[in-house]
Amino acid sequence: MPTATNSPAFTEAELTAETERLFRQLLTADCAPGRKWDYEGCRRIAPLTLEINRLKKEQDAVILTHSYVEPELVYGVGDFKGDSYYLSLQARDAKAKKIVFAGVVFMAETAKILSPQATVVVPDGGSGCSLADSMTGEGVRWLKSVYPDAAVVCYINSTAEVKAECDVCVTSGNVYDIVAQLPQRRIVFVPDRLMAENIRAELKRRGSDKEIISSDGTCIVHDHFDLAAIRDARARFPGLKVVAHPECTPEIAAAADYVGSTGGMMKYVKTTAAPYFLMLTECGLVGRLQVEAPEKHFIGGCQLCPYMKLNSLEKVLQVMKAPRPDQIITLDEGLRRRAARSIERMFELTPATPVQG
Ligand code: 13P
Ligand code: SF4
């Protein structure tokens, strides 16, 4: 007879209840471009979500889902959903034996840095990030040797090795406030060149004369949104609000009505009365808003992150049942402790505002 884990037998009543739960959650979200979730689609994934949720209890696991992963992960199996800052707080405070991070590898690494006692796994070991992949620890050491008087700040979209070399880590939600607070005039900021340009513009607006030196990484999702598309959308949709992430170019940021973290963007859309929104970010965030703010209208424009889209319910189930070595996050303890210092400094310097999930 097969074991419960290999072949769970859910009753028809359990499957129906789960299908209905999923349908209630997902019915306003797209399951494919321009196609909404239907009852049959929810029935198809119900055995997967039931089995994953059963394994979570059996294994004392929690699933953290970044807002860019698909809604069936966020609402089907996720325990915590949100932006990088919110999820790093949840990872730090997690009491569970296992953390499954449905996001990308640098996020799972951050969870391991903050919760070393937990087994941290990632559904796809190849879920990189063009920003994190653009900078090495050696690259930061070189920048430090050239600018020894500078504070070294890393965006959370960086490897543990890079975080270990930095004075403080930041996220898109606290970057301006943290950089503004640092006593040094000169700041080395890695790895996002466009965010560095946005920091320069914001600090200038605040009257600060800090010098920002950056490396050359960009986010392949946010670096090529087009000003002409904003102009065209504004002409076609009067009253439109344009919402962007600080990984976009400064030209896009200047043309947007709101620029902020994924959590900030969600809050802005939910609390802003406007007939239409153009979301210059990853489409997963639009999926979350379709679920949580179904009365809002989105006119497209979002892009897919190929790394975030490597996550799936099937991979979450596989990684919970039998993780491969490339799906398990392991870190040298000395490196982990040094990386933890830069993240703990971030927690200390982040203004105490309510954190968005
Ligand atoms: P947030 O910190 O705003 O969630 O962004 C993470 C990310 O990868 C954006 O591309
Ligand atoms: Fe990295 Fe950009 Fe994908 Fe975010 S959206 S994970 S920054 S590649």
Side-chain angles (χ1 to χ4, degrees), residues 66 68 84 103-104 106-107 127-132 155 157 192 218-223 245 247 281-282 303-308:
H66 188 268
Y68 286 166
S84 304
V104 291
F106 81 79
M107 295 178 175
S127 54
C129 164
S130 62
L131 282 171
Y155 186 32
N157 295 39
D192 190 342
T218 62
C219 161
I220 53 166
V221 176
H222 291 92
D223 68 359
H245 193 275
E247 291 166 9
T281 189
E282 215 281 341
Q303 296 282 332
L304 298 175
C305 170
Y307 307 109
M308 289 283 181

Side-chain angles (χ1 to χ4, degrees), residues 14-28:
E14 285 170 324
L15 287 165
T16 301
E18 180 67 349
T19 304
E20 284 169 4
R21 179 186 79 86
L22 291 167
F23 190 50
R24 273 194 304 276
Q25 284 278 276
L26 296 174
L27 86 166
T28 50

Side-chain angles (χ1 to χ4, degrees), residues 59-120:
Q59 299 181 353
D60 185 18
V62 287
I63 301 185
L64 306 189
T65 54
H66 188 268
S67 297
Y68 286 166
V69 302
E70 299 290 1
E72 65 269 27
L73 286 158
V74 175
Y75 301 100
V77 297
D79 296 292
F80 298 98
K81 53 186 181 294
D83 65 14
S84 304
Y85 186 74
Y86 176 79
L87 293 178
S88 55
L89 284 177
Q90 300 314 316
R92 181 193 68 182
D93 298 341
K95 301 277 178 287
K97 284 200 184 110
K98 184 183 275 188
I99 297 174
V100 181
F101 209 122
V104 291
V105 169
F106 81 79
M107 295 178 175
E109 268 190 5
T110 305
K112 183 69 181 176
I113 292 167
L114 294 167
S115 261
Q117 74 293 343
T119 299
V120 179

